[in-house]
Amino acid sequence: MTYSLHVAGLERKLTLCPLNENLYIAGFVIFGDVELTEACARELLKKAPAYDIIITAEAKGIPLAYEMARQAGENRYLIARKVPKLYMKNVFTVKVNSITTAREQTLCIDQEDADFMRGRRVLIVDDVISTGESLRAVEELVRQAGGNIVGKMAILAEGDATKREDIIYLERLPLFDAQGKEID
């Protein structure tokens, strides 16, 4: 089963993936799709509030954050990593439960990223916002670092995220039943 997504002037066929026996999501992956990443970054930048720095959660938001920074002429963007790396010092961490991951995860930044964000206007970006748990975790890291969140953006909003007024997104991504019928 597939879903035909139209976003940023492009069409992509997305495979429906089961979360459980009654609920399916459309698998949206921008990894490796340069045309889609460039087009979505361009359209999100048109809607973005004024900001100083972009941050995203590892991993699928990385190409989007990179491309938005590149198109905006910025030389740096930040990534909330899933695990602390050896080079990271004085790590800030937040726990997160995402619907697309089977277990609890940790997102983290280090002191250098926190210092870079402190007092600056921070734009949080991601590929898809669904439950908002990853977004919440990144928001908490930005707050711990002393950054000022000026916007939260995604290519797609899924499920209850489509009803949120605090996020900016390009298109709605429906949820599906086991027969592939839209349910929201």
Side-chain angles (χ1 to χ4, degrees):
M1 294 184 290
T2 62
Y3 172 71
S4 233
L5 173 70
H6 299 270
V7 63
L10 301 172
E11 180 181 0
R12 295 295 185 268
K13 296 281 188 207
L14 308 181
T15 301
L16 300 188
C17 307
L19 284 182
N20 59 47
E21 64 184 38
N22 300 314
L23 182 63
Y24 282 62
I25 60 171
F28 179 73
V29 180
I30 62 173
F31 285 142
D33 193 332
V34 175
E35 179 186 41
L36 182 63
T37 304
E38 289 176 347
C40 291
R42 182 175 50 252
E43 295 306 310
L44 284 171
L45 284 170
K46 290 177 184 176
K47 297 177 175 231
Y51 68 91
D52 299 313
I53 188 72
I54 291 172
I55 188 170
T56 192
E58 191 175 35
K60 290 191 324 184
I62 294 172
L64 178 64
Y66 165 84
E67 184 59 23
M68 288 177 72
R70 189 193 69 75
Q71 288 183 22
E74 300 297 327
N75 193 39
R76 187 172 180 188
Y77 60 96
L78 302 178
I79 301 168
R81 304 297 304 260
K82 289 183 180 176
V83 295
K85 301 298 181 182
L86 292 175
Y87 60 82
M88 298 173 77
K89 305 294 182 220
N90 301 323
V91 176
F92 297 68
T93 63
V94 174
K95 299 290 185 192
V96 62
N97 289 301
S98 169
I99 66 166
T100 56
T101 305
R103 58 180 168 70
E104 183 179 71
Q105 295 182 85
T106 300
L107 289 180
C108 56
I109 59 171
D110 69 358
Q111 189 67 54
E112 181 181 331
D113 287 346
D115 291 345
F116 187 70
M117 259 192 288
R118 187 171 301 110
R120 298 181 82 188
R121 299 172 297 176
V122 180
L123 180 62
I124 301 171
V125 300
D126 208 346
D127 62 331
V128 180
I129 297 175
S130 186
T131 64
E133 285 301 306
S134 296
L135 176 65
R136 179 202 57 76
V138 175
E139 286 179 279
E140 179 59 29
L141 287 172
V142 172
R143 281 189 198 91
Q144 286 180 25
N148 177 28
I149 300 166
V150 295
K152 298 171 272 191
M153 305 185 86
I155 298 169
L156 305 171
E158 179 178 62
D160 287 343
T162 62
K163 299 172 187 142
R164 292 179 59 163
E165 295 183 11
D166 65 325
I167 60 172
I168 300 166
Y169 60 93
L170 298 179
E171 297 295 335
R172 172 188 165 272
L173 187 61
L175 298 171
F176 302 88
D177 66 17
Q179 288 72 46
K181 181 181 175 192
E182 292 183 28
I183 59 174
D184 65 337

